[in-house]
Amino acid sequence: MKKDFSEALGRHEQRFGQAGLAFAAPARVNLIGEHTDYTGGLVMPMAIGFHTVATIGPREDGRAVFHSENFDEEASYEIASLDSKPEGRWSDYPAGVVWSLRQEGVRIDGFNMTLSGDVPVGAGLSSSASVEVATAMAVLGRAHFALDLKAVASLCRRAENEYVGAKSGIMDQFVVAGGVAQRAMLLDCRSLEFELLPLPAGVRVVIANSMVRHDHATGGYGDRRDEVETGQAVLQRERGIELLRDATLADLEACREKMPAVSYARCRHIITENGRVLEAREALLQGDVKRFGELMVAAHASMRDDFEASCSEVDMIVEIALRQPGCFGARITGGGFGGCTVNLVDVTKTGEFVAAVRSEYRAATGIEADCFVCEASDGALALAKDGTA
């Protein structure tokens, strides 16, 4: 689906007094495969039709100037001396991409960039990766420098890991850059090989935003990753396993007494989740929506109980969703501790589903949930190729 970014171009020209080029990157939702990516595991995300638009134009003083319309702020950096010193603000993400591109040997001249978009922030839909990939595409486009999907995703991940300091895996950047309309992506986060899978025509993905983001979300994500890595290190030492994705439940059980109980539980989630992703692949290939939904429900229970990364509000939305006619499955999506659920719903029931979820959640919590009916969209590379932005 083509989107018109002429308004973004016009606002950039009005602000900086120059014409620009616009590049867009979508958001993403992960259908199944949560917290598996940073141990080389399997995930099944899709790009969705919220976008960050990066509009870029030249300047002559060797600086990178970013204006964020969402934050109504401007940040300026001298490109030649840009180092990995994050400031703890929104501009760390685009600045980190410039830093990472320079690590790749890309020559970057001065530029003005306007960042705008409609990706919900803090909802688990990867607003940060959308900013990163949009920035990378804009800078590469202006430099007339081409990189393939793996390179774009990897440099954006490096920006988030080494510049921003967030312990993310590569799933978000990879699907934001390389997603394909009407397809889910099964991604092997170790090899970066991927398979595009058909989504049944008779269902829609509905995202329900709990509108809750608990204060411990960022720290909780880092804690969970540390707990996973502690367990993985035990498996490496005791069983000769390279990455957790190579471990079986039998391997984990054999090492149970040699790792903290929380690490055992976190690793159990990841091992079983990798298995669920493979089962979900088979379900999609067979058009078995019922089975796919059952796997989503099991994935949520694992995130809630073994990974302990859900919260009462999100659990409530899942419970409400599963009571509704036409809902095949529901689960938390994203890093956890709030944010969104992803729900698989009969296409003929989406209107009723959204109304019921919002009404029942509001009655129970007093919170008005945002709900979005989504289809799989093209990623940034496809958008740039077809001239949409």
Side-chain angles (χ1 to χ4, degrees), residues 25-43:
R28 71 96 185 95
V29 67
N30 192 22
L31 297 175
I32 194 165
E34 216 65 78
H35 283 275
T36 57
D37 57 342
Y38 48 80
T39 53
L42 304 171
V43 293

Side-chain angles (χ1 to χ4, degrees), residues 215-258:
D215 291 341
H216 60 286
T218 302
Y221 182 97
D223 291 345
R224 296 300 180 276
R225 181 156 180 176
D226 291 342
E227 290 157 0
V228 167
E229 290 176 352
T230 297
Q232 181 174 256
V234 173
L235 286 160
Q236 288 169 338
R237 184 183 70 240
E238 299 291 330
R239 309 290 284 188
I241 288 165
E242 180 187 1
L243 287 172
L244 188 55
R245 66 87 51 82
D246 300 311
T248 65
L249 286 175
D251 291 321
L252 182 64
E253 198 61 39
C255 297
R256 183 171 189 168
E257 300 305 319
K258 298 180 180 180

Side-chain angles (χ1 to χ4, degrees), residues 172-194:
D172 295 352
Q173 294 86 356
F174 202 96
V175 73
V176 166
V180 174
Q182 308 307 317
R183 294 290 185 269
M185 176 186 284
L186 174 62
L187 174 64
D188 182 324
C189 295
R190 175 164 55 188
S191 67
L192 300 187
E193 298 301 316
F194 65 94

Side-chain angles (χ1 to χ4, degrees), residues 308-347:
E308 295 184 279
S310 189
C311 64
S312 60
E313 297 90 347
V314 169
D315 291 342
M316 182 175 297
I317 288 187
V318 169
E319 292 168 8
I320 292 168
L322 293 174
R323 292 199 296 265
Q324 306 311 316
C327 179
F328 296 100
R331 70 170 198 90
I332 189 172
T333 188
F337 310 102
C340 292
T341 67
V342 57
N343 309 271
L344 201 62
V345 182
D346 186 308
V347 67

Side-chain angles (χ1 to χ4, degrees), residues 146-147 168 319:
L147 291 174
S168 66
E319 292 168 8

Side-chain angles (χ1 to χ4, degrees), residues 1-3 49 51 181-182 376-378 383 386 388:
M1 179 181 70
K2 291 185 179 295
K3 294 185 74 170
H51 292 88
Q182 308 307 317
S377 301
D378 281 330
L383 290 172
D386 73 11
T388 306

